[in-house]
Amino acid sequence: MSHRPRKRFGQNFLHDQGTIRRILQAIDPRPGQHLVEIGPGQGAITGGLLQAAGQLDAVELDRDLIPLLQRRFAAAGELRLHSGDALRFDFCSLRDGDERLRIVGNLPYNISTPLLFHLLDQADCVEDMHFLLQREVVERMAAGPGSKTYGRLSVMLQARCRVEPLFAIGAGAFRPAPKVESAFVRLQPKRRDAPRIDRPEWFGELVTHAFSQRRKTLRNSLRELVTAEQLEAAGVDPKLRAERLSVADFVHLANTTCNRSATT
Ligand code: SAM
């Protein structure tokens, strides 16, 4: 198959067979499961997914890859290719009844954060997600309070999902080799154990503000949104920085202040 990797689509194709096997083992696709691959590229993991599950939806932005994929997997199972942008794709529309999707992908690094947020909005339709991402992004996703990498991405994801970094992958597993290290991560949307977030937009706004100037105290970084008294009433010391608050603290703070606009 001849396709010159395109930088603008973030194309770093996996070629190391050991890494591909390890990824497939971690996903553990089973017959009948509804898997969706984002960015199948030339099909490095597509074949293994199709073979195990018997069917697969895949969303690919690079139109030139669609006929190549169709030809390569013509006899391999039911591959439903969607030519388009995963950032705008309605994943929930693929569901049959109330089944939950298993989403996987070696994601283009340039869109990984907006794509994670787009998928979070659809987390109710999702059983789990497995992604190959820049290692530094996976570290930020999984970081806990007090760590330098703990920030907006950690809080927003961990409020909705269990984040489980699985293993690191060196640049040599890809062609062309990226300049950064990669890591494979599993995300499982929380169900019964999810904290109740009364107003998700307000929660997102608070978290974004709190970390937008992470060296400032919460009293200052959240000045436009809540008063020091409201912070204290929620049990949060206004002199702390955002990185000291746990995910549960942020949820509690958002829930106890979410009627603010109604009262001011
Ligand atoms: N899965 C293949 C592999 O592991 O070799 C390709 C991975 S490559 C890092 C990322 C893939 O995502 C490319 O095929 C690229 O064309 C595709 N892609 C880039 N942006 C996309 C988007 N917004 N929506 C869907 N696919 C996208």
Side-chain angles (χ1 to χ4, degrees):
M1 193 180 304
S2 65
H3 175 87
R4 188 190 285 270
R6 292 181 170 136
K7 213 172 167 182
R8 72 175 187 282
F9 291 139
Q11 290 177 350
N12 298 96
F13 296 123
L14 266 174
H15 73 95
D16 180 69
Q17 291 306 315
T19 304
I20 293 170
R21 262 198 308 279
R22 217 169 158 203
I23 286 173
L24 288 167
Q25 266 165 15
I27 299 170
D28 191 20
R30 298 293 174 98
Q33 291 180 341
H34 196 156
L35 282 114
V36 184
E37 184 180 6
I38 299 175
Q42 297 179 302
I45 57 174
T46 314
L49 296 173
L50 249 184
Q51 201 177 20
Q55 54 150 354
L56 177 71
D57 281 278
V59 185
E60 174 56 63
L61 183 62
D62 185 347
R63 282 199 219 124
D64 291 348
L65 287 169
I66 302 285
L68 303 184
L69 288 161
Q70 268 160 346
R71 273 200 300 280
R72 179 167 175 191
F73 298 111
E78 192 185 341
L79 175 60
R80 296 176 291 267
L81 285 164
H82 306 270
S83 175
D85 184 349
L87 284 172
R88 294 157 186 269
F89 195 79
D90 178 0
F91 289 89
C92 294
S93 71
L94 299 175
R95 284 211 298 182
D96 192 7
D98 58 2
E99 67 176 4
R100 293 221 171 87
L101 307 169
R102 303 195 66 202
I103 299 184
V104 309
N106 169 10
L107 299 187
Y109 295 155
N110 51 342
I111 62 157
S112 54
T113 305
L115 188 55
L116 288 169
F117 278 94
H118 179 59
L119 290 163
L120 263 192
D121 288 340
Q122 303 179 62
D124 287 346
C125 310
V126 174
E127 181 62 32
D128 60 16
M129 302 182 262
H130 288 83
F131 296 128
L132 186 46
L133 290 163
Q134 210 170 317
R135 186 168 169 175
E136 174 261 326
V137 174
V138 172
E139 281 165 7
R140 285 197 281 126
M141 290 162 69
S147 112
K148 259 197 248 157
T149 47
Y150 181 66
R152 172 178 176 249
L153 189 62
S154 336
V155 176
M156 296 303 289
L157 283 178
Q158 291 171 33
R160 297 295 310 278
C161 299
R162 226 177 308 286
V163 180
E164 190 183 349
L166 296 173
F167 46 86
I169 297 173
F174 305 87
R175 266 198 209 114
K179 292 197 178 66
V180 292
E181 294 282 293
S182 304
F184 199 57
V185 63
R186 177 181 294 139
L187 297 171
Q188 282 177 300
K190 294 176 181 170
R191 305 255 172 248
R192 280 186 297 278
D193 51 342
R196 189 174 53 87
I197 300 175
D198 293 337
R199 273 182 52 203
E201 332 73 56
W202 172 243
F203 174 70
E205 203 179 334
L206 264 184
V207 174
T208 302
H209 263 79
F211 284 105
S212 61
Q213 295 162 305
R214 54 183 300 139
R215 296 180 60 80
K216 288 195 174 177
T217 62
L218 290 164
R219 175 206 297 271
N220 286 322
S221 60
L222 293 179
R223 187 182 290 276
E224 287 168 28
L225 302 180
V226 289
T227 62
E229 291 71 37
Q230 284 176 306
L231 287 170
E232 274 162 2
V236 173
D237 179 351
K239 295 191 289 302
L240 291 180
R241 291 177 178 172
E243 68 202 34
R244 290 285 150 199
L245 259 55
S246 68
V247 174
D249 291 335
F250 273 110
V251 172
H252 180 66
L253 177 61
N255 286 349
T256 51
T257 55
C258 71
N259 292 322
R260 181 197 68 115
S261 53
T263 55
T264 53

